Each structure stands twice: as C-alpha cells, then as structure tokens.
Amino acid sequence: MKQTISLLSPSATITMRRAGKLCAILLLHLNNFIKESISTLDINYESEKWTSINGASSAPLNYSIEGAPPFPRSLCSSRNAIVCHGIPCISEILKSGDIVNIDITIKYRNFHSDCSRTFSIGSVLYKHNHLLYVAKKSLKLGILEANPGVNICNIGTAIANYIERFKYSIVKDFVGHGIGISFHMLPFVYHYPNKNYKLLLKPGMAFTIEPMINLGKENIIQLSNKWTFKTKDQEFSAQYEHSLLITTSGVEILTSI
Ligand code: MF3
Ligand code: CO
Ligand code: CO
C-alpha cells in the first residue's frame, strides 16, 4: 500500500506542541483527582470541564467509527481486564487494588493530541504493579527507536523484544496512529515486528505509540457496546500512550510536561 503521510508545517508544529502540553497537564491534573471511591464518570466530567476551561475540546465525545454508535463520553477509562475504549460509567466505582487506564484526546485549534496512562488505586498486587512498570517501559523503549531515517517497524520490534522476557503479551488488534489534523490518520504504528511494513520516519511526522500489554494471553473479546474490549482470560491489561513528533535531530514527546 502506498501511504501518503502528511508532515506538519512549522505553524502546525507550534499548535501541536501546545495541544500536547494541554494533554500532559490534564493527565497530571487527573492524577490528583483519581482515587478510591470516585466513579469513572466523575473522571470523565472533571476532564471535560478542565478541557473546555482551557480552550480545547474532547475528541472522543461522539467520535464515530464504522459498526459502532458514536462514542458517548469524553475519554476512555479502561479498568482491570478492560483492554481499551472503556466507557466511563456512574456505577463503576474505583476501589483499592484496581488499575485504570485513562486515555484522553483533546482537540485544540483543529489539532489533536492523544495520551494515556494507567493509574493504580490504593494498594495494588505486586504482579499488577509490575505489569504497569513493564507497559510503561515498553512505550519508552518504542520511543527511543523513533528517529529520522529509521524504519517505523523498529518501534514494534523493540517493544516485542522487551515484552518477550516476561510471560506477558502484546495486543495485536490495535495500532498507534498518525495524529494531527485528524484524530486517527496514517501511519499505522505496530507494537510488534511487522516485516511487511516499511516506512522511513521523516521530520514533521507526528504519531502515537500506545502498546497494550496483557498479563496473560493476547486474546480479547468485544463487549456488546461495540467499543470496549476486554481480555478473554480476564487477566489485567495496561497501557501507556504518547503523541510524538519526529524532528531533524530525533523525537519530541509532545504529550510530556
Ligand atoms: N484514544 C484512543 C486512541 O488512543 C482512541 C479512542 S476512540 C474513542 O487511539 F472514541 F473511543 F474515544
Ligand atoms: Co489514546
Ligand atoms: Co491513540
């Protein structure tokens, strides 16, 4: 497949940097807010409020894909065995021992920024804390591969080489994605080696890396709401995500403080 990947202009780059900062600061703000006995819908509303106060909007709200109704909330909250695209809900109350991924995407002056992290609530089992550590480090190792002139598939290879050391698995059904004027655009970013996919990274490319790491097997099941996926074996899943920009000298993490 011939891919046309858009490169950010200098002015778009400035806006993307601002959008990224807003996303990063919002996650930091939510870090103080997220605790035992609040619901995932409380997190949704706090995020929605913060986003609009800061002159941006929540991209997930009413986001449409084929085969699913418009996404009904402003962020994704994926708790424990939920792999991704969990829908915030008033009856989903966080309790000690939970892990919950909060995935936020904001739209700021027509440009998008997407990041997530997995929070631990109260005291979490050692094996779940370790899963969070490994998922976070796999993202970091993927980011270290992202440099101009490098084949994009090196990102997935680095992630897989690391995850292989553990009995964990990488979810293959979702990919990182180009980001900018659209929420999801080319290129795809595989989180595992994909030898058939060749694309050299160039300055001005912006995309996410967002590996989903399961404690058990990689198999997932779709819930009846059509958006949410959970692990088939009911083991926990963790994810971290950043939006990145390839520069002439390396990579910039747009969604870091
Ligand atoms: N934020 C997710 C991603 O990283 C996409 C969520 S789409 C939504 O690509 F509609 F569920 F919000
Ligand atoms: Co996301
Ligand atoms: Co994303």
Side-chain angles (χ1 to χ4, degrees):
M1 180 174 70
K2 172 90 185 93
Q3 300 202 54
T4 323
I5 315 286
S6 48
L7 303 178
L8 292 176
S9 68
S11 77
T13 301
I14 292 171
T15 310
M16 283 294 281
R17 286 193 175 116
R18 289 190 188 156
K21 283 279 179 279
L22 278 176
C23 243
I25 298 168
L26 172 54
L27 262 193
L28 194 65
H29 172 72
L30 293 177
N31 185 38
N32 294 323
F33 183 81
I34 294 172
K35 51 180 169 306
E36 239 174 293
S37 81
I38 67 162
S39 75
T40 49
L41 191 62
D42 293 330
I43 303 170
N44 175 87
Y45 286 136
E46 183 61 23
S47 176
E48 177 63 52
K49 191 178 76 185
W50 193 96
T51 303
S52 66
I53 287 172
N54 285 284
S57 61
S58 305
L61 188 63
N62 294 320
Y63 187 65
S64 290
I65 54 167
E66 222 183 282
F71 193 79
R73 300 289 182 203
S74 302
L75 54 74
C76 297
S77 56
S78 304
R79 191 174 63 102
N80 299 344
I82 302 296
V83 173
C84 63
H85 308 161
I87 301 177
C89 174
I90 192 157
S91 61
E92 188 180 38
I93 309 289
L94 299 177
K95 58 177 198 315
S96 183
D98 283 346
I99 63 170
V100 62
N101 173 275
I102 300 298
D103 190 338
I104 53 179
T105 309
I106 64 149
K107 187 174 179 186
Y108 174 74
R109 297 191 186 168
N110 286 327
F111 286 89
H112 295 78
S113 192
D114 186 8
C115 66
S116 85
R117 65 173 270 206
T118 304
F119 297 87
S120 52
I121 310 299
S123 69
V124 161
L125 290 179
Y126 172 80
K127 65 174 184 177
H128 294 146
N129 254 327
H130 189 253
L131 177 69
L132 298 197
Y133 175 86
V134 168
K136 188 172 188 173
K137 185 157 171 186
S138 75
L139 168 59
K140 199 175 205 171
L141 293 173
I143 293 172
L144 285 174
E145 294 297 319
N147 282 294
V150 164
N151 189 349
I152 197 166
C153 81
N154 292 12
I155 293 171
T157 305
I159 292 170
N161 285 343
Y162 174 61
I163 295 299
E164 236 169 44
R165 292 194 223 161
F166 310 96
K167 276 192 163 160
Y168 305 156
S169 54
I170 302 167
V171 174
K172 311 288 193 311
D173 309 71
F174 297 96
V175 291
H177 49 92
I179 187 155
I181 200 83
S182 298
F183 186 166
H184 292 111
M185 50 203 278
L186 292 174
F188 297 139
V189 183
Y190 293 94
H191 303 120
Y192 56 92
N194 185 337
K195 295 253 153 28
N196 300 324
Y197 189 65
K198 222 181 156 107
L199 173 78
L200 297 187
L201 297 176
K202 272 196 205 150
M205 285 182 182
F207 55 86
T208 70
I209 305 180
E210 47 180 300
M212 297 163 196
I213 309 297
N214 293 354
L215 193 62
K217 301 253 182 313
E218 66 178 78
N219 310 61
I220 60 172
I221 328 184
Q222 187 179 32
L223 302 192
S224 55
N225 68 26
K226 302 284 184 205
W227 277 104
T228 308
F229 291 82
K230 70 171 189 191
T231 59
K232 189 164 183 225
D233 60 14
Q234 309 277 20
E235 295 281 8
F236 285 16
S237 183
Q239 185 188 21
Y240 291 78
E241 174 178 25
H242 272 305
S243 295
L244 308 160
L245 170 69
I246 300 297
T247 64
T248 50
S249 59
V251 64
E252 206 175 296
I253 302 176
L254 293 168
T255 45
S256 75
I257 299 291

